[in-house]
Amino acid sequence: MSETHTVPKMPLEAKSPFELRVSLGKGVPETDVRTALATGDMGFLHSFTTGATVDGPGVRVVAWTTGCMWRCLYCHNPDTWTMSNGMPVSVAKAAGELRKYQQGLKIMGGGFTLSGGEPLMQHRFAAKLFSAAKTMGIHTALDTNGFYGDKLSDDELETIDLVLLDFKTWNPERHKHLTGVDNAPTLAFARRLAERKRPVWLRFVLVPGLTDDFDDIANLANFAASLGNVERVDVLPFHQMGKYKWQALGIPYSLAETDPPDQSLVEKVCGVFRAAGLKAL
Ligand code: SF4
């Protein structure tokens, strides 16, 4: 597939992933999309952002992929659900973007994070990009819901220095209500990462009335603590920065009236993870 199919009017670099981006890959024929997914020579990216400090250790360059098979009620970036909303980018070009920051990232103890969307919807592209980043000596992190973790080989897992595992909620029924799918594949991936001793940061979005059941949180905390490879837990307070995207895309948004959690609830939830022996921030 040639990158000349679409000439994005938008730069690949964005100020933040909260920029609404749609139809950037609309002109790409379906057969080319399939080839890109099978080979991983080309991927679809919402954007690159630089300077993030919350998506792994140090200052990060983050590539945001498009495509996600889940439909989380609180998703902050529903424009990343559809693959063709992303810009078609070759692995060489994406690696070239990364190379610009190679020295700076090393000096600042930062690295590269692949997020989304769900990056493992494009697992061949992800594997190639991580391999390229490791060749440059750059620390790598994958931000994933874990559903397609089994698409990566053990060798490919070794090219990922840190997995930011997004765990939505423990109770399978609530998980299905929240995301549309079962959480068993995510649990299986978490166990596999533990067996292979791959470092994990658990990410948990706290949404009042949706993910704040304390029995669920305690079960998740105990599970995470039992794995032995979870280095820290990020409790991420729900916010409404993505609300305008739901409205702009015309997707019914059931959390329009939901307030972010107050600090005392965030602290209480961190306390549950800490009580299980985990470092929670
Ligand atoms: S897994 Fe992430 S990108 Fe996909 S719907 Fe959920 S929050 Fe959105």
Side-chain angles (χ1 to χ4, degrees):
M1 180 167 63
S2 151
E3 279 169 277
T4 56
H5 278 304
T6 55
V7 183
K9 297 198 171 43
M10 237 175 233
L12 188 53
E13 185 153 346
K15 285 195 181 64
S16 94
F18 294 107
E19 279 186 15
L20 178 71
R21 294 187 165 201
V22 292
S23 303
L24 300 180
K26 204 171 149 200
V28 182
E30 189 54 37
T31 47
D32 284 3
V33 173
R34 280 202 293 274
T35 305
L37 292 177
T39 64
D41 290 339
M42 185 80 68
F44 291 82
L45 294 180
H46 174 278
S47 56
F48 259 88
T49 57
T50 53
T53 54
V54 293
D55 300 299
V59 176
R60 314 294 296 182
V61 170
V62 185
W64 306 88
T65 60
T66 48
C68 186
M69 62 302 215
W70 289 15
R71 293 293 176 264
C72 300
L73 296 177
Y74 62 63
C75 185
H76 297 139
N77 293 305
D79 53 336
T80 65
W81 291 352
T82 307
M83 191 99 60
S84 62
N85 277 348
M87 206 178 283
V89 179
S90 67
V91 169
K93 178 166 178 179
E97 286 293 311
L98 208 46
R99 194 167 289 109
K100 292 183 196 165
Y101 305 99
Q102 183 179 10
Q103 291 312 325
L105 290 175
K106 280 190 201 164
I107 290 164
M108 291 187 289
F112 167 62
T113 300
L114 192 62
S115 185
E118 170 47 53
L120 295 186
M121 286 280 286
Q122 304 183 46
H123 48 88
R124 292 306 84 212
F125 178 71
K128 287 188 174 177
L129 201 45
F130 282 130
S131 172
K134 287 315 293 174
T135 304
M136 289 182 240
I138 294 174
H139 179 278
T140 56
L142 167 69
D143 180 16
T144 178
N145 62 33
F147 193 81
Y148 281 151
D150 61 354
K151 305 280 186 195
L152 295 176
S153 69
D154 289 344
D155 285 346
E156 287 164 352
L157 282 185
E158 297 294 319
T159 66
I160 303 170
D161 295 310
L162 175 69
V163 175
L164 306 172
L165 187 62
D166 299 303
F167 204 100
K168 311 296 183 182
T169 193
W170 179 261
N171 179 288
E173 284 311 309
R174 278 201 197 98
H175 194 274
K176 204 156 192 182
H177 168 69
L178 170 56
T179 67
V181 297
D182 192 8
N183 60 8
T186 302
L187 289 166
F189 187 48
R191 290 190 188 98
R192 180 170 167 224
L193 291 169
E195 278 160 20
R196 304 206 60 78
K197 301 195 181 342
R198 304 311 301 156
V200 166
W201 289 7
L202 196 74
R203 307 184 108 192
F204 176 74
V205 179
L206 178 59
V207 191
L210 200 60
T211 66
D212 58 352
D213 182 282
F214 275 79
D215 287 340
D216 266 11
I217 297 168
N219 282 327
L220 173 58
N222 290 331
F223 169 73
S226 75
L227 295 172
N229 63 331
V230 177
E231 295 179 347
R232 74 179 228 186
V233 180
D234 288 332
V235 176
L236 307 169
F238 166 75
H239 57 69
Q240 291 284 14
M241 283 172 72
K243 181 178 176 179
Y244 86 99
K245 289 190 175 184
W246 288 76
Q247 289 164 344
L249 296 168
I251 311 171
Y253 181 49
S254 61
L255 302 185
E257 305 304 323
T258 302
D259 290 324
D262 57 34
Q263 195 50 36
S264 65
L265 181 60
V266 175
E267 266 311 306
K268 235 170 127 182
V269 170
C270 286
V272 177
F273 285 106
R274 287 183 198 127
L278 295 161
K279 180 179 167 191
L281 305 172

